Amino acid sequence: MSEQIEIDSGKKGITLFVVIAMTFMATLDSSIVNVAMPVMSGKMNVPLSSIEWVVASYSIIICATLLFFGRLGDIVGKPRVFQCGTVLFTAGSLLCGLCHSFIPLIICRFLQGIGASAYMANNQGIITELYPKEGRGKALGILATAVALGNMIGPSAGGFILSFVNWNFIFLVNVPIGIAVFLLGLKHLPRSLKNSEPMDKTGAALQFGGTVLLFGALIEAQTSGFANLYILMALLLAAIFIVVFNGFEKKYRQPLLDLTIFENPQFSLNLICAFISFVCIAASAILLPFYLQDTLKLTPAQAGLFMMLSPLILAVLSPICGTLSDKTGAEGLTLSGLLLMASGFFLMSRLTEHSWINICAVFVSIMAVGQAFFQPANNSLIMSTCSKNKLGIVGSVNSLVRNLGQIVGITLSTTLLYSFMSRKLNIHVSDYIRGRGDVFVYGMNRVYLILVAICLLGAMLTAIRLFLPKKKGIQSGVHCV
């Protein structure tokens, strides 16, 4: 028996608000942390290669648990799991705000990530069940707007907070929002029915172990090197876990990840394109705060205001583009979006340590317009390829791909950055070198050129999917909606 959401049609708007409010809180936290990284690096006396763990730990634990929470949402009800995630994220935010050293902060970020994973795995599924085809793109566009607003307010709020109080308050601002969202959810989130399907605990453990070992090893290899024995052992174990997980899921009657969903070429290509876009976005986001604050010498408050630009554009354009995708089709918008993003990345590769901030703003705006074209349309394409009883797992896979893209983007950009900087100086580099903005810009420019190539690959795949035949939903006899 598949899980069903019971809700009065007149309350859809309130339910949507509750879902997007939690999404807003998570993205607010993420964008505040990004702008605060240079300050946190100095305050806790840790290098760039270590401070990225503040972002990476959050993303890694989300990737490691999204499938579990997506499946759990299908079994016990997506609203229930969503609410549990709200509680955990809020508690994690409070604990992060009470931390004063690096290691405890990373541990608390893991707790935050578990909470975020629980609601990320189910928010798109809740929205997709609430809205039919003619309203789905618009609703997902509103969800994208919540993301954009969180990203827009976060940098300016973070810059303001850092200008007056300790960095701990960037986490404490989540607490009142989380409490309010939880209370609203108690009243307005729909009731859902449980079913008796079993949980794939073995698959969940294998996926968790493989993900944590793989990305943990890749990040630590930036300083320890890939020849380090512990790094090699972690990578070997991760590979074993992933291979065993894949084989187990094929045989298990009700697996954590239903691999048959990937038999639809449209669905698989949509996910690949989403992954590519988030790799590029995350890679750029990890570099930009250091370029603004350490190279261009902007204050945290000024950098925060600058970083509002991209989410402001997303907030304005995402609902429009989501509605347009409902009316004209999403494929053309996704292709246009990726091409615009590639153009923006290429222009960013032309920046120097003496570039005018206004020029940088134009280049960032072009990237943001591309994101606004791509994200709502591609999310609608992904969620339209599944049957109703698979909305939870497909929504969690979609969120998993997004977070995988983010952690790969962070790891890829910093690894390439250190490599190019090391080549420039002929010494091993794993941090921003004070007084040598030219070295950072040298590495940053080349990272952006690689992002151009990755984004163009996504555009090519998008062009290919324009010619793929439309298929029925993942479950036989269920048409794509």
Side-chain angles (χ1 to χ4, degrees), residues 16-276:
L16 179 63
F17 173 79
V18 171
V19 173
I20 65 174
M22 191 62 199
T23 303
F24 167 82
M25 185 172 78
T27 52
L28 178 75
D29 177 81
S30 177
S31 57
I32 285 180
V33 171
N34 282 343
V35 77
M37 282 195 301
V39 174
M40 296 169 71
S41 177
K43 293 289 185 181
M44 291 187 288
N45 195 29
V46 292
L48 172 59
S49 56
S50 295
I51 204 65
E52 69 177 280
W53 270 104
V54 177
V55 177
S57 58
Y58 180 76
S59 296
I60 287 173
I61 201 67
I62 289 174
C63 292
T65 56
L66 263 173
L67 292 179
F68 170 79
F69 285 121
R71 180 61 181 149
L72 188 64
D74 284 337
I75 294 173
V76 304
K78 289 182 269 294
R80 289 189 181 93
V81 178
F82 183 95
Q83 282 289 78
C84 289
T86 303
V87 172
L88 285 174
F89 184 89
T90 305
S93 296
L94 176 62
L95 292 173
C96 285
L98 298 176
C99 289
H100 295 283
S101 56
F102 182 66
I103 298 300
L105 176 62
I106 299 305
I107 294 172
C108 294
R109 285 287 281 172
F110 274 117
L111 178 61
Q112 255 192 323
I114 293 172
S117 178
Y119 63 76
M120 283 182 182
N122 292 279
N123 59 1
Q124 291 184 64
I126 293 173
I127 290 174
T128 306
E129 284 197 339
L130 290 175
Y131 287 88
K133 179 179 179 180
E134 60 271 13
R136 183 174 298 165
K138 183 177 181 179
L140 292 172
I142 293 172
L143 183 65
T145 300
V147 173
L149 286 173
N151 284 325
M152 179 178 66
I153 296 172
S156 58
F160 180 81
I161 289 169
L162 293 168
S163 297
F164 294 98
V165 293
N166 195 279
W167 59 263
N168 301 73
F169 284 86
I170 65 175
F171 297 106
L172 294 175
V173 296
N174 295 327
V175 177
I177 302 174
I179 293 172
V181 169
F182 176 75
L183 294 176
L184 282 172
L186 287 178
K187 183 176 182 181
H188 296 292
L189 277 178
R191 295 179 179 273
S192 54
L193 302 177
K194 297 181 180 180
N195 63 50
S196 58
E197 294 178 354
M199 170 59 73
D200 179 10
K201 297 176 183 178
T202 302
L206 289 170
Q207 194 255 335
F208 180 89
T211 302
V212 172
L213 286 170
L214 174 62
F215 289 109
L218 290 176
I219 293 174
E220 282 300 303
Q222 296 175 359
T223 53
S224 303
F226 284 96
N228 183 284
L229 177 61
Y230 294 106
I231 298 297
L232 291 174
M233 289 177 61
L235 290 173
L236 177 61
L237 281 174
I240 292 172
F241 282 166
I242 292 170
V243 170
V244 174
F245 170 77
N246 186 64
F248 184 82
E249 296 302 280
K250 290 179 178 178
K251 297 178 181 179
Y252 195 69
R253 187 170 62 88
Q254 292 176 313
L256 184 72
L257 176 60
D258 184 357
L259 297 177
T260 61
I261 64 177
F262 300 104
E263 294 175 0
N264 185 330
Q266 284 279 358
F267 174 76
S268 298
L269 275 177
N270 294 339
L271 281 181
I272 292 171
C273 291
F275 175 78
I276 287 172

Side-chain angles (χ1 to χ4, degrees), residues 272-306:
I272 292 171
C273 291
F275 175 78
I276 287 172
S277 73
F278 284 108
V279 166
C280 295
I281 293 166
S284 176
I286 200 74
L287 298 175
L288 192 56
F290 290 93
Y291 176 69
L292 295 174
Q293 295 181 52
D294 292 329
T295 303
L296 298 186
K297 306 303 180 184
L298 271 63
T299 65
Q302 290 171 331
L305 287 173
F306 180 91

